[in-house]
Amino acid sequence: MRYLIVLLFTLPALADEPKPRLTVQPKLCIVDKRTPVCDVTFDVEWTSPVAGDYCVKRLDDDEPLRCWVEEDAGQVDDQRPVSKTFRYDLQEEGETRVSTKVEILKMDGEDRRRRRRTRHVWDVL
Amino acid sequence: MFVTRIAILIVGLLCAYAPLALADDTSPWRLGIAVGYGERSNPLVAADDISLLADIDLAWFGKRFYFDNGDVGVTLMNNDKFTLSLAARANSDRVFFGRTNSRVVSLSPDALPTGAPTNLQITVPDRRYAIEAGLELLADGRWGRLQASMHHDISGTHDGFELSADYSVGRRFGRLYVEPSLGLNYKSKALNNYYWGVAAGEANPLLPASVVGDGFNVRTSFRAGYYLSRRMALVVSAHIERINSEAAASVIVAEDTVKGYFAGLSMRL
């Protein structure tokens, strides 16, 4: 009975365990044939309710952008040209705790027929 | 009502954007909807403007064949420089004739033959949709986009043809993408006369028979979108087209320009 009471008090606490947060600005970038790559500085910020050893890593990279030791928040700027949707991961001891995607919107796709203007009354899309 | 419409347009312009197409080539389908408010003026006499609350975009693009909002085509050539297709469509001039009505006009007896009725109705003659087929060339690059086409009536409706060319160029400003464009249309005499002329059998004292020659329409448009995500954007679109002088001089035409605008939220499904 004593264990059951402990479990009843522990479970909600486990379920509500706050997770780290990872925010990236900008989260959307537009490219076209005139500007085929998005060459901006991404502002990556994270916070965690528990201090720990964290790293911010881009999914396609072998090495993390930056790591922190016994910290509960951090920020790093990442400047690089990108042309495909990608994501940043916040990792703790090599394990991804939270991810945030940066979307690349291509205004000129491979199929130029998708960009044709119709004789549609409005053709606003 | 007018103030409301202007307010909607201004909000759309401030929020802004739109080009047009949340491009994603991974699926052959393109399905989207824009909700908002827009209007397109109707140059015909005794006709209503065209209102728009929602615009649905439905298209399918295969390797050779495509369907794009009523247009169908088969691609003959496709390379890094251009895409050439055989395309078919319904004529766009007909859209104005679906919003016509009758208007009673009182004339002075002095202006009419003795005994003729003094109250006459102006009724714009009906016109049919023509199915037109031809070649369509698409080219693009850092310099912008070009769309050129030539279409001939294949339905026996007007037996005329139309040549057109559109140039547009896009610019991005962060999440804002703007795309102005310029266009030119040549309409043959047969096409112009069918839609904008008045045949002898349709004539009355208010609408005398008239023959319309060929001519060029010139148009410009501006589209802008502020992208909230890859699939959602606030959009605004404005369009103005100067009708060729031959058609504009027709007795069934009241205005020599067609103006349109739309502002709203665009979603790509």
Side-chain angles (χ1 to χ4, degrees), chain B residues 177-266:
Chain B
Y177 198 86
V178 299
E179 189 178 78
S181 73
L182 279 173
L184 188 67
N185 273 39
Y186 171 77
K187 293 172 187 284
S188 72
K189 179 179 177 181
L191 185 156
N192 238 7
N193 190 49
Y194 174 75
Y195 283 107
W196 306 102
V198 177
E202 300 167 335
N204 63 44
L206 290 176
L207 294 179
S210 64
V211 175
V212 173
D214 60 346
F216 285 92
N217 283 17
V218 182
R219 61 176 176 271
T220 182
S221 68
F222 173 82
R223 299 193 283 187
Y226 184 81
Y227 283 88
L228 305 172
S229 71
R230 288 183 78 229
R231 300 191 177 276
M232 193 174 292
L234 294 166
V235 300
V236 63
S237 169
H239 167 102
I240 184 165
E241 180 167 3
R242 181 72 179 250
I243 299 171
N244 63 85
S245 57
E246 284 282 328
S250 167
V251 292
I252 63 170
V253 174
E255 299 168 14
D256 63 0
T257 56
V258 176
K259 300 166 193 160
Y261 69 86
F262 180 86
L265 179 67
S266 161

Coordinates of all heavy atoms in Angstrom, one line a residue, chain B residues 177-266:
Chain B
Y177 N 7.3 37.4 -50.5 CA 7.7 37.1 -51.8 C 6.7 37.9 -52.8 O 5.5 37.8 -52.6 CB 7.6 35.6 -52.2 CG 8.4 35.2 -53.4 CD1 9.7 34.9 -53.3 CD2 7.8 35.2 -54.6 CE1 10.5 34.6 -54.4 CE2 8.5 34.8 -55.7 CZ 9.9 34.5 -55.6 OH 10.6 34.1 -56.7
V178 N 7.3 38.7 -53.6 CA 6.5 39.5 -54.5 C 6.8 39.2 -56.0 O 7.9 38.8 -56.3 CB 6.7 41.1 -54.3 CG1 6.3 41.4 -52.9 CG2 8.1 41.5 -54.6
E179 N 5.8 39.2 -56.8 CA 5.9 38.9 -58.2 C 5.1 39.8 -59.1 O 3.9 39.5 -59.3 CB 5.6 37.4 -58.4 CG 6.0 36.9 -59.8 CD 5.6 35.5 -60.0 OE1 4.4 35.1 -60.2 OE2 6.5 34.6 -59.8
P180 N 5.7 40.8 -59.6 CA 5.0 41.6 -60.6 C 5.1 40.9 -62.0 O 6.0 40.2 -62.2 CB 5.7 42.9 -60.6 CG 7.1 42.6 -60.1 CD 7.0 41.4 -59.3
S181 N 4.1 41.2 -62.9 CA 4.2 40.6 -64.2 C 3.6 41.6 -65.3 O 2.8 42.4 -64.9 CB 3.5 39.3 -64.3 OG 2.1 39.4 -64.2
L182 N 4.0 41.4 -66.5 CA 3.5 42.1 -67.6 C 3.1 41.1 -68.7 O 3.7 40.1 -68.9 CB 4.6 43.0 -68.2 CG 4.9 44.3 -67.6 CD1 6.1 45.0 -68.2 CD2 3.7 45.3 -67.7
G183 N 2.0 41.4 -69.4 CA 1.5 40.5 -70.4 C 0.9 41.2 -71.6 O 0.5 42.3 -71.5
L184 N 1.0 40.5 -72.7 CA 0.4 41.0 -74.0 C -0.3 39.9 -74.7 O 0.1 38.8 -74.7 CB 1.6 41.5 -74.8 CG 1.3 42.3 -76.1 CD1 0.7 43.6 -75.8 CD2 2.6 42.5 -76.9
N185 N -1.5 40.2 -75.2 CA -2.4 39.3 -75.9 C -2.7 39.8 -77.2 O -3.2 41.0 -77.3 CB -3.7 39.0 -75.1 CG -3.6 38.0 -74.1 OD1 -2.6 37.9 -73.4 ND2 -4.6 37.2 -74.0
Y186 N -2.6 39.0 -78.3 CA -3.1 39.4 -79.6 C -4.3 38.5 -79.8 O -4.3 37.3 -79.8 CB -2.1 39.2 -80.7 CG -2.7 39.4 -82.1 CD1 -3.0 40.6 -82.5 CD2 -3.1 38.3 -82.8 CE1 -3.6 40.8 -83.8 CE2 -3.7 38.4 -84.1 CZ -3.9 39.7 -84.5 OH -4.6 39.9 -85.7
K187 N -5.5 39.2 -80.1 CA -6.7 38.4 -80.4 C -7.1 38.7 -81.8 O -7.2 39.8 -82.3 CB -7.8 38.9 -79.4 CG -7.6 38.5 -78.0 CD -8.6 39.2 -77.0 CE -8.2 39.0 -75.6 NZ -8.5 37.6 -75.1
S188 N -7.3 37.6 -82.5 CA -7.6 37.7 -84.0 C -9.0 38.3 -84.2 O -9.8 38.4 -83.2 CB -7.6 36.3 -84.6 OG -8.7 35.5 -84.2
K189 N -9.2 38.7 -85.4 CA -10.5 39.4 -85.7 C -11.7 38.4 -85.4 O -12.7 38.8 -84.9 CB -10.5 39.8 -87.1 CG -11.8 40.5 -87.6 CD -11.8 40.9 -89.0 CE -13.2 41.5 -89.4 NZ -13.2 42.0 -90.8
A190 N -11.5 37.1 -85.8 CA -12.6 36.2 -85.6 C -13.0 36.0 -84.1 O -14.1 36.0 -83.8 CB -12.2 34.8 -86.3
L191 N -11.9 35.9 -83.3 CA -12.2 35.7 -81.9 C -12.8 37.0 -81.3 O -13.8 36.9 -80.6 CB -10.8 35.4 -81.2 CG -10.8 35.1 -79.7 CD1 -9.6 34.3 -79.3 CD2 -10.9 36.3 -78.8
N192 N -12.2 38.1 -81.6 CA -12.6 39.4 -81.1 C -14.1 39.7 -81.5 O -14.9 40.1 -80.7 CB -11.7 40.5 -81.6 CG -11.1 41.3 -80.5 OD1 -11.2 40.9 -79.3 ND2 -10.4 42.4 -80.8
N193 N -14.4 39.4 -82.8 CA -15.7 39.7 -83.3 C -16.8 38.8 -82.7 O -17.9 39.3 -82.4 CB -15.7 39.6 -84.8 CG -17.0 40.2 -85.4 OD1 -17.4 41.3 -85.0 ND2 -17.7 39.4 -86.2
Y194 N -16.4 37.5 -82.4 CA -17.4 36.6 -81.9 C -17.8 37.1 -80.5 O -19.0 37.1 -80.1 CB -16.9 35.2 -81.8 CG -17.8 34.3 -81.1 CD1 -19.0 33.8 -81.7 CD2 -17.6 33.9 -79.8 CE1 -19.9 33.0 -81.0 CE2 -18.4 33.1 -79.1 CZ -19.6 32.6 -79.7 OH -20.5 31.8 -79.0
Y195 N -16.8 37.4 -79.6 CA -17.1 37.8 -78.2 C -17.6 39.2 -78.1 O -18.5 39.5 -77.3 CB -15.9 37.5 -77.3 CG -15.8 36.0 -77.0 CD1 -14.7 35.3 -77.6 CD2 -16.7 35.4 -76.2 CE1 -14.6 34.0 -77.4 CE2 -16.5 34.0 -76.0 CZ -15.5 33.3 -76.5 OH -15.4 32.0 -76.3
W196 N -17.0 40.1 -78.8 CA -17.3 41.5 -78.5 C -18.1 42.3 -79.6 O -18.5 43.4 -79.4 CB -15.9 42.3 -78.3 CG -15.1 41.6 -77.3 CD1 -14.0 40.8 -77.5 CD2 -15.3 41.6 -75.9 NE1 -13.6 40.3 -76.3 CE2 -14.3 40.8 -75.3 CE3 -16.2 42.3 -75.0 CZ2 -14.2 40.7 -73.9 CZ3 -16.1 42.1 -73.7 CH2 -15.1 41.3 -73.1
G197 N -18.3 41.6 -80.7 CA -19.1 42.2 -81.8 C -20.6 41.9 -81.6 O -21.0 41.2 -80.7
V198 N -21.5 42.6 -82.4 CA -22.9 42.3 -82.3 C -23.3 41.9 -83.7 O -23.2 42.6 -84.7 CB -23.7 43.6 -81.9 CG1 -25.2 43.3 -81.9 CG2 -23.3 44.0 -80.5
A199 N -23.9 40.6 -83.8 CA -24.3 40.1 -85.1 C -25.6 40.8 -85.6 O -26.3 41.3 -84.7 CB -24.4 38.6 -85.1
A200 N -25.8 40.7 -86.9 CA -27.1 41.4 -87.4 C -28.3 40.8 -86.7 O -29.3 41.5 -86.4 CB -27.1 41.2 -88.9
G201 N -28.3 39.5 -86.5 CA -29.5 38.9 -85.8 C -29.7 39.3 -84.4 O -30.7 39.0 -83.8
E202 N -28.7 39.8 -83.8 CA -28.8 40.2 -82.3 C -29.0 41.7 -82.2 O -29.3 42.2 -81.1 CB -27.4 39.9 -81.6 CG -27.0 38.4 -81.7 CD -25.6 38.2 -81.3 OE1 -24.7 39.2 -81.4 OE2 -25.2 37.1 -80.8
A203 N -29.0 42.4 -83.3 CA -29.1 43.9 -83.2 C -30.5 44.4 -82.9 O -31.5 43.7 -83.1 CB -28.6 44.5 -84.5
N204 N -30.5 45.5 -82.2 CA -31.8 46.2 -81.9 C -31.4 47.7 -81.9 O -30.2 48.1 -82.0 CB -32.5 45.7 -80.7 CG -31.7 45.9 -79.4 OD1 -31.1 47.0 -79.2 ND2 -31.6 44.9 -78.6
P205 N -32.4 48.6 -81.7 CA -32.1 50.0 -81.7 C -31.0 50.4 -80.7 O -30.3 51.4 -80.9 CB -33.4 50.7 -81.4 CG -34.4 49.8 -81.9 CD -33.9 48.4 -81.6
L206 N -30.9 49.7 -79.6 CA -29.9 50.0 -78.5 C -28.6 49.4 -78.8 O -27.5 49.8 -78.3 CB -30.4 49.7 -77.2 CG -31.5 50.5 -76.6 CD1 -32.0 50.0 -75.3 CD2 -31.1 52.0 -76.5
L207 N -28.6 48.2 -79.5 CA -27.4 47.5 -79.8 C -27.3 47.3 -81.3 O -27.6 46.2 -81.8 CB -27.4 46.1 -79.1 CG -27.3 46.1 -77.5 CD1 -27.4 44.6 -77.0 CD2 -26.1 46.7 -77.0
P208 N -26.8 48.3 -82.0 CA -26.7 48.1 -83.4 C -25.6 47.1 -83.8 O -24.7 46.9 -83.0 CB -26.3 49.6 -83.9 CG -25.7 50.2 -82.7 CD -26.4 49.6 -81.5
A209 N -25.8 46.5 -84.9 CA -24.8 45.5 -85.4 C -23.5 46.2 -85.5 O -23.4 47.3 -86.0 CB -25.3 44.9 -86.7
S210 N -22.4 45.5 -85.1 CA -21.1 46.0 -85.2 C -20.1 44.9 -85.4 O -20.3 43.8 -84.9 CB -20.7 46.9 -84.0 OG -20.7 46.1 -82.9
V211 N -19.1 45.2 -86.2 CA -18.0 44.2 -86.5 C -16.8 44.7 -85.8 O -16.4 45.9 -85.8 CB -17.8 44.1 -88.0 CG1 -16.6 43.1 -88.2 CG2 -19.0 43.5 -88.7
V212 N -16.1 43.8 -85.0 CA -14.9 44.1 -84.3 C -13.7 43.5 -84.9 O -13.7 42.3 -85.2 CB -15.1 43.7 -82.8 CG1 -13.8 43.9 -82.0 CG2 -16.3 44.4 -82.1
G213 N -12.7 44.3 -85.0 CA -11.4 43.8 -85.7 C -10.5 43.2 -84.6 O -10.8 43.0 -83.5
D214 N -9.3 42.9 -85.1 CA -8.3 42.3 -84.2 C -7.6 43.3 -83.3 O -7.8 44.5 -83.5 CB -7.2 41.5 -85.0 CG -6.5 42.4 -85.9 OD1 -7.0 43.6 -86.2 OD2 -5.4 42.0 -86.4
G215 N -6.9 42.9 -82.3 CA -6.3 43.9 -81.4 C -5.4 43.2 -80.3 O -5.4 42.0 -80.1
F216 N -4.7 44.1 -79.6 CA -3.8 43.7 -78.5 C -4.4 44.1 -77.2 O -4.8 45.3 -77.0 CB -2.4 44.3 -78.7 CG -1.6 43.7 -79.7 CD1 -1.6 44.2 -81.0 CD2 -0.8 42.6 -79.5 CE1 -0.8 43.7 -82.0 CE2 0.0 42.1 -80.5 CZ 0.0 42.6 -81.8
N217 N -4.4 43.2 -76.3 CA -4.7 43.5 -74.9 C -3.4 43.6 -74.1 O -2.5 42.8 -74.4 CB -5.6 42.4 -74.2 CG -7.0 42.4 -74.6 OD1 -7.4 43.1 -75.6 ND2 -7.8 41.8 -73.8
V218 N -3.3 44.6 -73.2 CA -2.1 44.7 -72.4 C -2.5 44.6 -71.0 O -3.5 45.1 -70.5 CB -1.4 46.1 -72.6 CG1 -0.1 46.2 -71.8 CG2 -1.1 46.3 -74.1
R219 N -1.7 43.8 -70.2 CA -2.1 43.7 -68.8 C -0.9 43.7 -67.9 O 0.3 43.4 -68.3 CB -2.9 42.4 -68.6 CG -2.1 41.1 -68.9 CD -2.9 39.9 -68.6 NE -2.1 38.7 -69.1 CZ -2.2 38.1 -70.3 NH1 -3.0 38.7 -71.2 NH2 -1.5 37.1 -70.6
T220 N -1.1 44.0 -66.7 CA -0.1 43.9 -65.6 C -0.7 43.4 -64.4 O -1.9 43.6 -64.1 CB 0.6 45.3 -65.4 OG1 1.6 45.2 -64.4 CG2 -0.4 46.3 -64.9
S221 N 0.1 42.7 -63.6 CA -0.5 42.2 -62.3 C 0.6 42.2 -61.3 O 1.8 42.3 -61.6 CB -1.1 40.8 -62.5 OG 0.0 39.9 -62.8
F222 N 0.2 42.1 -60.1 CA 1.1 42.1 -58.9 C 0.6 41.1 -57.9 O -0.6 41.1 -57.6 CB 1.1 43.4 -58.3 CG 1.9 43.5 -57.0 CD1 3.3 43.6 -57.0 CD2 1.3 43.4 -55.8 CE1 4.0 43.6 -55.9 CE2 2.0 43.4 -54.6 CZ 3.4 43.5 -54.7
R223 N 1.4 40.1 -57.6 CA 1.0 39.2 -56.6 C 2.1 39.2 -55.5 O 3.3 39.3 -55.7 CB 0.9 37.8 -57.2 CG -0.1 37.7 -58.2 CD -0.5 36.3 -58.6 NE 0.6 35.7 -59.4 CZ 0.4 34.5 -60.0 NH1 -0.7 33.8 -59.8 NH2 1.4 34.0 -60.7
A224 N 1.6 39.1 -54.3 CA 2.5 39.0 -53.1 C 2.0 38.1 -52.1 O 0.8 37.9 -51.9 CB 2.7 40.4 -52.6
G225 N 2.9 37.5 -51.4 CA 2.5 36.5 -50.3 C 3.5 36.6 -49.1 O 4.7 36.7 -49.3
Y226 N 2.9 36.6 -48.0 CA 3.7 36.5 -46.8 C 3.5 35.1 -46.2 O 2.4 34.8 -45.7 CB 3.3 37.6 -45.7 CG 4.2 37.6 -44.5 CD1 5.4 38.3 -44.5 CD2 3.8 36.9 -43.4 CE1 6.2 38.2 -43.4 CE2 4.6 36.9 -42.2 CZ 5.8 37.6 -42.3 OH 6.6 37.5 -41.2
Y227 N 4.6 34.4 -46.2 CA 4.5 32.9 -45.9 C 4.6 32.7 -44.3 O 5.6 33.1 -43.7 CB 5.6 32.1 -46.6 CG 5.3 31.9 -48.0 CD1 5.7 32.8 -49.0 CD2 4.5 30.8 -48.4 CE1 5.3 32.7 -50.3 CE2 4.2 30.6 -49.7 CZ 4.6 31.6 -50.6 OH 4.2 31.4 -52.0
L228 N 3.5 32.2 -43.8 CA 3.5 31.8 -42.4 C 4.1 30.5 -42.2 O 4.7 30.2 -41.1 CB 2.0 31.8 -41.9 CG 1.2 33.1 -42.2 CD1 -0.3 32.8 -41.9 CD2 1.8 34.2 -41.4
S229 N 4.0 29.6 -43.2 CA 4.7 28.3 -43.2 C 4.8 27.9 -44.6 O 4.5 28.7 -45.5 CB 3.9 27.3 -42.4 OG 2.7 26.9 -43.1
R230 N 5.3 26.7 -44.9 CA 5.5 26.2 -46.3 C 4.1 26.1 -46.9 O 4.0 26.1 -48.1 CB 6.2 24.9 -46.3 CG 7.7 25.0 -46.0 CD 8.4 23.7 -46.2 NE 8.6 23.4 -47.6 CZ 8.3 22.2 -48.1 NH1 7.7 21.3 -47.5 NH2 8.6 22.0 -49.4
R231 N 3.1 25.9 -46.1 CA 1.8 25.6 -46.7 C 0.7 26.7 -46.5 O -0.4 26.5 -46.8 CB 1.3 24.3 -46.1 CG 2.2 23.1 -46.4 CD 1.5 21.8 -46.1 NE 2.4 20.7 -46.5 CZ 2.5 20.2 -47.7 NH1 1.7 20.7 -48.6 NH2 3.3 19.2 -48.0
M232 N 1.1 27.8 -45.8 CA 0.1 28.8 -45.6 C 0.7 30.2 -45.8 O 1.9 30.4 -45.3 CB -0.4 28.6 -44.1 CG -1.6 29.4 -43.8 SD -2.2 29.1 -42.2 CE -2.8 27.4 -42.3
A233 N 0.0 31.0 -46.4 CA 0.5 32.4 -46.7 C -0.7 33.4 -46.8 O -1.8 33.0 -47.1 CB 1.2 32.4 -48.0
L234 N -0.4 34.6 -46.3 CA -1.3 35.7 -46.5 C -1.0 36.2 -47.9 O 0.1 36.5 -48.3 CB -1.1 36.8 -45.5 CG -1.4 36.4 -44.1 CD1 -0.9 37.4 -43.1 CD2 -2.9 36.3 -43.9
V235 N -2.1 36.3 -48.8 CA -1.8 36.6 -50.2 C -2.6 37.8 -50.6 O -3.7 38.1 -50.1 CB -2.2 35.4 -51.1 CG1 -1.3 34.2 -50.8 CG2 -3.6 35.1 -51.0
V236 N -2.1 38.6 -51.5 CA -2.8 39.7 -52.2 C -2.4 39.7 -53.6 O -1.3 39.3 -54.0 CB -2.5 41.0 -51.5 CG1 -1.0 41.4 -51.6 CG2 -3.3 42.1 -52.0
S237 N -3.4 39.9 -54.4 CA -3.2 39.9 -55.9 C -4.0 41.0 -56.5 O -5.1 41.3 -56.1 CB -3.8 38.5 -56.4 OG -3.8 38.5 -57.8
A238 N -3.4 41.7 -57.4 CA -4.1 42.8 -58.1 C -3.8 42.7 -59.6 O -2.7 42.2 -60.0 CB -3.6 44.2 -57.6
H239 N -4.7 43.0 -60.4 CA -4.6 42.8 -61.9 C -5.4 43.9 -62.6 O -6.4 44.3 -62.2 CB -5.3 41.4 -62.1 CG -5.5 41.1 -63.6 ND1 -4.8 40.3 -64.3 CD2 -6.5 41.5 -64.4 CE1 -5.2 40.2 -65.5 NE2 -6.3 40.9 -65.6
I240 N -4.7 44.4 -63.7 CA -5.4 45.3 -64.5 C -5.1 45.0 -66.0 O -4.0 44.7 -66.3 CB -5.1 46.8 -64.2 CG1 -5.9 47.8 -65.0 CG2 -3.6 47.1 -64.3 CD1 -5.8 49.2 -64.4
E241 N -6.1 45.0 -66.8 CA -6.0 44.7 -68.2 C -6.7 45.7 -69.1 O -7.8 46.0 -68.9 CB -6.5 43.3 -68.5 CG -6.3 42.8 -70.0 CD -6.6 41.3 -70.2 OE1 -7.0 40.7 -69.2 OE2 -6.5 40.9 -71.3
R242 N -5.9 46.2 -70.0 CA -6.5 47.2 -71.0 C -7.0 46.4 -72.2 O -6.2 45.7 -72.9 CB -5.4 48.2 -71.4 CG -5.9 49.2 -72.4 CD -6.8 50.2 -71.6 NE -7.2 51.3 -72.5 CZ -6.8 52.5 -72.4 NH1 -5.9 52.9 -71.5 NH2 -7.2 53.5 -73.3
I243 N -8.3 46.5 -72.4 CA -8.9 45.8 -73.5 C -8.5 46.5 -74.9 O -8.4 47.7 -74.9 CB -10.4 45.8 -73.4 CG1 -10.8 45.0 -72.1 CG2 -11.1 45.1 -74.6 CD1 -12.3 45.1 -71.7
N244 N -8.3 45.7 -75.9 CA -7.9 46.2 -77.2 C -8.9 47.2 -77.7 O -10.1 47.1 -77.4 CB -7.6 45.1 -78.2 CG -8.9 44.3 -78.5 OD1 -9.7 44.7 -79.3 ND2 -9.1 43.2 -77.8
S245 N -8.5 48.2 -78.4 CA -9.3 49.4 -78.8 C -10.5 48.9 -79.6 O -11.6 49.5 -79.5 CB -8.5 50.4 -79.5 OG -7.9 49.8 -80.6
E246 N -10.4 47.9 -80.4 CA -11.5 47.4 -81.2 C -12.6 46.9 -80.4 O -13.8 47.2 -80.6 CB -11.0 46.3 -82.2 CG -10.2 46.8 -83.4 CD -11.1 47.4 -84.5 OE1 -12.2 46.9 -84.6 OE2 -10.6 48.4 -85.1
A247 N -12.3 46.1 -79.4 CA -13.3 45.5 -78.5 C -13.9 46.6 -77.6 O -15.1 46.6 -77.3 CB -12.7 44.4 -77.7
A248 N -13.0 47.5 -77.1 CA -13.4 48.5 -76.2 C -14.4 49.5 -76.9 O -15.3 50.1 -76.2 CB -12.2 49.3 -75.7
A249 N -14.4 49.6 -78.2 CA -15.3 50.5 -78.9 C -16.6 49.8 -79.2 O -17.5 50.5 -79.7 CB -14.6 50.9 -80.2
S250 N -16.7 48.5 -78.9 CA -18.0 47.8 -79.2 C -19.1 48.4 -78.3 O -19.0 48.9 -77.2 CB -17.8 46.3 -78.8 OG -19.0 45.7 -78.8
V251 N -20.3 48.3 -78.9 CA -21.5 48.8 -78.2 C -21.9 48.0 -76.9 O -22.6 48.5 -76.1 CB -22.7 48.8 -79.1 CG1 -22.5 49.9 -80.2 CG2 -23.0 47.5 -79.7
I252 N -21.4 46.8 -76.8 CA -21.7 46.0 -75.6 C -20.6 46.2 -74.5 O -20.7 45.5 -73.5 CB -21.9 44.5 -75.9 CG1 -20.6 43.9 -76.5 CG2 -23.0 44.3 -76.9 CD1 -20.6 42.4 -76.6
V253 N -19.6 47.0 -74.8 CA -18.6 47.2 -73.8 C -18.7 48.6 -73.2 O -18.8 49.6 -73.9 CB -17.2 47.1 -74.5 CG1 -16.1 47.4 -73.5 CG2 -17.0 45.6 -74.9
A254 N -18.7 48.6 -71.8 CA -18.9 49.9 -71.2 C -17.6 50.5 -70.6 O -17.4 51.7 -70.4 CB -19.9 49.8 -70.0
E255 N -16.6 49.6 -70.3 CA -15.3 50.0 -69.8 C -14.2 49.4 -70.6 O -14.3 48.2 -71.0 CB -15.2 49.5 -68.3 CG -16.3 50.1 -67.4 CD -16.3 49.4 -66.0 OE1 -15.3 48.7 -65.7 OE2 -17.3 49.6 -65.3
D256 N -13.1 50.2 -70.8 CA -12.0 49.6 -71.6 C -10.9 48.9 -70.8 O -9.9 48.6 -71.3 CB -11.4 50.8 -72.4 CG -10.8 51.9 -71.6 OD1 -10.8 51.7 -70.3 OD2 -10.3 52.8 -72.2
T257 N -11.2 48.8 -69.5 CA -10.2 48.1 -68.6 C -10.9 47.1 -67.8 O -12.1 47.3 -67.4 CB -9.4 49.0 -67.7 OG1 -10.2 49.8 -66.9 CG2 -8.5 49.9 -68.5
V258 N -10.2 46.0 -67.4 CA -10.7 45.0 -66.5 C -9.8 45.1 -65.3 O -8.6 45.0 -65.4 CB -10.7 43.6 -67.0 CG1 -11.2 42.6 -66.0 CG2 -11.6 43.5 -68.3
K259 N -10.4 45.3 -64.1 CA -9.6 45.4 -62.9 C -10.0 44.3 -61.9 O -11.2 44.0 -61.8 CB -9.8 46.8 -62.2 CG -9.3 48.0 -63.1 CD -9.9 49.3 -62.5 CE -9.7 50.4 -63.5 NZ -10.6 51.5 -63.3
G260 N -9.0 43.8 -61.2 CA -9.4 42.8 -60.2 C -8.4 42.8 -59.1 O -7.3 43.3 -59.2
Y261 N -8.9 42.3 -57.9 CA -8.0 42.2 -56.8 C -8.5 41.0 -55.9 O -9.7 40.6 -56.0 CB -8.0 43.5 -56.0 CG -9.3 43.8 -55.3 CD1 -9.5 43.2 -54.0 CD2 -10.2 44.6 -55.9 CE1 -10.7 43.5 -53.4 CE2 -11.4 44.9 -55.2 CZ -11.7 44.3 -54.0 OH -12.9 44.6 -53.4
F262 N -7.6 40.5 -55.1 CA -8.0 39.5 -54.1 C -7.0 39.6 -53.0 O -5.8 39.8 -53.1 CB -7.9 38.1 -54.7 CG -8.3 37.0 -53.8 CD1 -9.6 36.6 -53.6 CD2 -7.3 36.4 -53.0 CE1 -10.0 35.6 -52.7 CE2 -7.7 35.4 -52.1 CZ -9.0 35.0 -51.9
A263 N -7.5 39.4 -51.8 CA -6.7 39.4 -50.6 C -7.2 38.3 -49.6 O -8.5 38.2 -49.4 CB -6.7 40.8 -49.9
G264 N -6.4 37.5 -49.1 CA -6.9 36.5 -48.2 C -5.8 35.6 -47.7 O -4.6 35.9 -47.7
L265 N -6.2 34.4 -47.3 CA -5.3 33.4 -46.8 C -5.2 32.2 -47.7 O -6.3 31.7 -48.1 CB -5.8 32.9 -45.4 CG -5.0 31.9 -44.7 CD1 -3.6 32.4 -44.3 CD2 -5.7 31.4 -43.4
S266 N -4.0 31.8 -48.1 CA -3.8 30.7 -49.0 C -3.3 29.5 -48.3 O -2.4 29.6 -47.5 CB -2.8 31.2 -50.1 OG -2.3 30.1 -50.8

